Structures are given as structure tokens and as C-alpha cells.
Amino acid sequence: MANDGRIGPPLLGSERETLRAFLDYQRETLAMKCAGLSDEELRERSMPPSTLSLLALVRHLAEVERAWFRRVFEDPAVPMVWSKRHFDFQAAYDASASTRAESFAAWEAEVETSRRIERDAASLEVTGRQPRWEKDVSLRMVMVHVLLEYGRHNGHADLLREGVDGAVGA
């Protein structure tokens, strides 16, 4: 991938600065993996019967951002972005009728909400209620969890992008 404008995390940052920067780096990685592709290419599935595609990952990670930031720290009853069921992350994987514009608008809105929630929190010790588990969790735990989600799914994105047009790289 020739166009790598991502900003790396600080080498000597605080815990919070480092978590924030690594999470943003992973978010930028997902966007980079989707850059320059048409809607059709973004919807290209990995292999039948899987519905996994780059656009499906964008949609799924919009749900992840909503479920782990907005629902935990603001409104546990806010609906999922694409599913009618409360904890259904699978509905986002059906990107067959989706577009880059629609999917990225939802994802970017959720990322901005997540960033605002994190910025407004007094510390990483701030707690919220994870409605799926019905347990309190810290902002630190949420940031690490979401960071791991991106890391796992960006590995998928590497393979999906290579399958679409042969592009490889960080």
C-alpha cells in the first residue's frame, strides 16, 4: 500500500495517549485498506458462504464502536446501527446493498462519538455499564477491547484487500 498517511503512536506517551494513538492508528488502517476501491470492490466477499468483505468490516466496526462506547457510557438502549436485535453484530456483515458513503458515514459518526466520550472522561478509571454483560467496565478496558477488535479485523482486511486487487502492505 503506497499511500500510508497514518500517524504512529508516541514512543514515550502516557498510558492514555498511547491507547488513544494506537486505537486511532488501527482506525486509520481500516480506512487505508478500503481506500481507492469502488463500492463493488468493497462488497467483494472473501469466499462463499462467508459474507465477509471490506465494507462488512467497516459496518461491523461501526457497531463495535457504538456498542462499546455509546452504549456503555451514554445510552445502553441505543439501537444497533443495522440490526433490529439488541446484540446482533452479524447483521452488519450483510453489506450486499451498502455503499461506501452510507457505511463510512455511519462508521465515522460512531468513531467521532467514541472519541468525544473518551476525551470527556476524567480518567481511564471512569466506569460504565456493559449492557450485554450487565457488569461495570472501565474506559481502559473498553479502549483495549476495541483496539483488539480492530487489530483482529484489520488482519482480515489485509487478506480481503489483497484478494480484491493484490495490494499488500501495512
Side-chain angles (χ1 to χ4, degrees), residues 1-8 24-25 28-29 31-33 35 170:
M1 310 236 38
N3 194 5
D4 188 351
R6 296 172 299 167
I7 298 169
D24 279 340
Y25 185 84
E28 291 169 16
T29 299
M32 183 182 76
K33 290 296 176 179

Side-chain angles (χ1 to χ4, degrees), residues 58-63 65-66 70 80-82 99-114 150:
V58 171
R59 290 165 50 97
H60 172 70
L61 287 161
E63 298 281 33
E65 294 271 1
R66 178 174 284 201
R70 191 186 301 209
M80 300 293 278
V81 181
W82 285 281
T99 65
R100 168 192 293 276
E102 170 256 342
S103 300
F104 270 84
W107 176 66
E108 289 166 355
E110 292 305 322
V111 166
E112 285 310 309
T113 297
S114 299
Y150 273 96

